[in-house]
Structures are given as C-alpha cells and as structure tokens.
Amino acid sequence: MARFTVLIAAVILAFVVAVPEVTAKKYTVGENKFWNPNINYTIWAQGKHFYLGDWLYFVFDRNQHNILEVNKTDYENCNADHPLVNWTRGAGRDIVTLNVTKHYYLLDGKGGCYGGMKLAVKVEKLPPPPKAAPVKSTGSVSMATGVAQFLIPFALFSVSTMWDAILRMW
C-alpha cells in the first residue's frame, strides 16, 4: 500500500512538473451576440491579442451564414468569390484555429459581409514570460532555495520509485 501511495504521488508530481501551462484562449466571436449582421467586429476585436494556438468560436445560423477566409483585398470589398479557406463545417458552431502567425481576414460569404459580418485579426507568437528579478543574497538560504533543495531530491526519488514500481509490474 505504501508503494502504491508513493507511486501515485510520483505520478501526480511528474504530471505537475512535466505539463506546461496551457495558454491557448477561446474567443467567442461577438460574445453573446455571436456571428450576426449589424455588429461591428472591428470594435469587438479591439484590445484583444490573438496568439498562436488561440481559436475563434463562431456561433451562427448555418442556413444563412458561413465563415470564409479571404485575402485582404477581398476582405475590404466583401468579395467571397475566391476564398482561401472555408471554415464552415455545417453545424453553425464552427472554429477557426489560429495556428499560423499572420493576418486572418474572415467574412460571411452569404451576403452578411455587407452588414458588417467580417473580422480581421493579427496572430502573433506568444511573448516570452518576463524574466524574474534577481534575488539578493543575504547570506542565508532563501525560501526558493530551500524549496528547491527539498523538491529536487524528492522529485528524483519519486521518479526512481515510480520506475522501480513499473519494472516490478513487468
């Protein structure tokens, strides 16, 4: 039982240490007004930063609207004749995955663009996390150093215990 408990603790610790923070964000386009005419999506997008891995969630009447990605000129002219990508999947609950750093020009190709149903977003790489401020040495062990001195051996012990338990199962 004790080994099982240690194994579970090791797996949880390994998961917490190994899994990076998820940074992708889901944006419901238009918030509670969704993808409909007479909404200014330029204003909706103001102040939002779109990063690689984020996604746009469109909710609309699938019989009346769609989501097409076009070039900048076609976007400006509401021209849906030459879409780069048709993001519509037929359910009226569609996702545009922002997986390339570029400008995405999206519009409704069933006439809604003339009623304002168009959205341009610039997708960027996620900025690096801010650097930590240097820790001043006061001659005593800091809290971070003390925690690290405990966690590193504990993590190594946990991983070795987990490995031993796995090998014993075989």
Side-chain angles (χ1 to χ4, degrees):
M1 181 67 175
R3 282 190 174 184
F4 181 74
T5 304
V6 171
L7 177 62
I8 295 299
V11 169
I12 291 170
L13 178 65
F15 181 76
V16 170
V17 171
V19 176
E21 179 182 344
V22 177
T23 57
K25 187 170 183 180
K26 177 190 102 171
Y27 292 93
T28 300
V29 176
E31 305 297 337
N32 62 347
K33 295 179 182 179
F34 305 117
W35 185 237
N36 285 300
N38 303 316
I39 297 170
N40 188 328
Y41 293 98
T42 301
I43 291 174
W44 172 82
Q46 281 179 346
K48 293 176 177 61
H49 295 279
F50 300 96
Y51 297 110
L52 267 176
D54 288 349
W55 41 291
L56 303 174
Y57 179 57
F58 288 82
V59 179
F60 56 95
D61 181 342
R62 67 182 182 181
N63 298 313
Q64 295 183 20
H65 306 293
N66 62 13
I67 308 159
L68 303 179
E69 182 178 347
V70 296
N71 64 34
K72 185 177 181 181
T73 302
D74 286 346
Y75 173 83
E76 291 168 346
N77 295 308
C78 284
N79 182 357
D81 293 339
H82 310 287
L84 303 173
V85 180
N86 182 348
W87 290 97
T88 310
R89 299 294 172 252
R93 308 284 183 272
D94 293 323
I95 295 169
V96 174
T97 305
L98 305 176
N99 56 8
V100 176
T101 54
K102 67 175 187 175
H103 282 90
Y104 285 77
Y105 298 100
L106 305 163
L107 56 79
D108 172 36
K110 293 186 175 181
C113 182
Y114 297 105
M117 292 178 70
K118 61 184 192 174
L119 172 66
V121 297
K122 179 182 178 186
V123 176
E124 303 172 310
K125 289 183 180 178
L126 192 64
K131 291 184 178 181
V135 177
K136 293 182 181 180
S137 176
T138 60
S140 63
V141 176
S142 71
M143 178 70 165
T145 303
V147 170
Q149 286 175 344
F150 170 75
L151 279 182
I152 291 172
F154 177 73
L156 292 174
F157 171 76
S158 299
V159 169
S160 66
T161 303
M162 182 174 61
W163 183 249
D164 182 54
I166 290 170
L167 289 177
R168 289 179 191 264
M169 285 191 275
W170 294 103

